[in-house]
Amino acid sequence: MSHSPAPQPAAARPLPPEAFAQWYGRWEPLAPTSAADFMDGFDRPWWIIGGWAIEAFTGVPRRHDDLDISMLSSDAEAFRRFLGDRFTPWNMDQGWLRPFDDRFQEVSPNSSLWIRKNALAPWVLDVPFTKDTGGQWTNKRWPDQVAPLDEVTWTAADGLLYLRPEHVLMMKSRLARGKDRIDAEVALPLLDAAQRHWLRDTLKHLEPAHPWLDRL
């Protein structure tokens, strides 16, 4: 007897803000300066990624829904100890969310942490991990691409460490949401020759038909 393959579940769609808050709780994200205060005393490297990193590079402001910082995945446990009892970190991995505590100490290098004080408090910080290879930055989308942290980050005028714009745009190119396209519009013309070369070669490897390649 033949059997039809089991139907595959539909891909989960992002929840609208009201439904998200109902299920997960609301967000009141930190800004870069308050993130610096939050991370004061953490002795491992961390850096700001995403739209805030593009704004630091271009100087062109836009509305931000959140603040993402990153750190090497091997520093996850050090970060949990740093937070102590002051905050509760939750591990977000492939759509499921669970506490990052003594019960669940293992986290995937490709997952992230959501941080809040307690169950009644808003989320304040999203920390996507960066997989490391021998203490070096490793490209999530192209794991063979490895580099020292000081080659993929830079220090802005505010004294904070940010992911370099070409690397931010590489990550944003995967989804190319409205805000990602806005960031590309303002940042691509400002890249220098070396940055354009890196982004062009990386996108050619990842997505040979990506529309941003026509501008590089």
Side-chain angles (χ1 to χ4, degrees):
M1 179 184 295
S2 62
H3 296 278
S4 299
Q8 297 298 309
R13 290 177 294 183
L15 291 173
E18 299 81 6
F20 181 96
Q22 179 181 359
W23 282 97
Y24 296 102
R26 73 188 190 282
W27 275 88
E28 291 184 6
L30 302 175
T33 52
S34 52
D37 293 336
F38 183 97
M39 298 297 289
D40 186 38
F42 184 60
D43 61 358
R44 309 295 175 90
W46 62 274
W47 55 96
I48 296 172
I49 61 177
W52 280 107
I54 294 296
E55 182 170 319
F57 171 68
T58 64
V60 178
R62 71 160 172 83
R63 180 179 175 275
H64 298 276
D65 297 320
D66 54 14
L67 171 74
D68 296 342
I69 70 169
S70 191
M71 64 182 63
L72 296 177
S73 56
S74 58
D75 289 332
E77 178 60 22
F79 186 53
R80 185 171 78 94
R81 294 196 304 268
F82 167 75
L83 294 174
D85 296 329
R86 299 174 298 130
F87 291 88
T88 55
W90 288 69
N91 185 211
M92 170 60 77
D93 190 6
Q94 299 183 15
W96 54 255
L97 189 65
R98 71 179 182 187
F100 179 36
D101 59 10
D102 290 335
R103 296 169 295 165
F104 306 104
Q105 298 185 33
E106 297 296 324
V107 294
S108 164
N110 293 315
S111 66
S112 65
L113 295 181
W114 290 4
I115 312 298
R116 63 183 178 184
K117 284 189 175 182
N118 53 55
L120 301 179
W123 305 101
V124 296
L125 193 62
D126 187 5
V127 186
F129 291 122
T130 293
K131 184 178 180 181
D132 63 286
T133 303
Q136 297 192 95
W137 176 91
T138 304
N139 190 334
K140 289 182 179 181
R141 300 187 63 195
W142 187 0
D144 289 341
Q145 203 173 65
V146 176
L149 275 176
D150 60 4
E151 290 185 6
V152 300
T153 57
W154 66 289
T155 302
D158 59 10
L160 300 178
L161 199 64
Y162 292 84
L163 188 65
R164 290 176 63 87
E166 65 270 30
H167 295 78
V168 177
L169 291 173
M170 178 270 299
M171 296 301 297
K172 284 178 165 288
S173 70
R174 182 176 66 87
L175 297 176
R177 300 158 296 186
K179 61 183 179 181
D180 302 321
R181 293 193 295 273
I182 291 172
D183 288 340
E185 287 288 332
V186 297
L188 284 174
L190 301 179
L191 299 180
D192 64 25
Q195 292 169 325
R196 297 174 73 87
H197 177 79
W198 184 93
L199 183 56
R200 181 173 61 248
D201 285 357
T202 302
L203 282 183
K204 282 182 178 178
H205 173 82
L206 297 172
E207 300 180 66
H210 199 285
W212 293 358
L213 284 168
D214 292 338
R215 305 179 57 189
L216 290 168

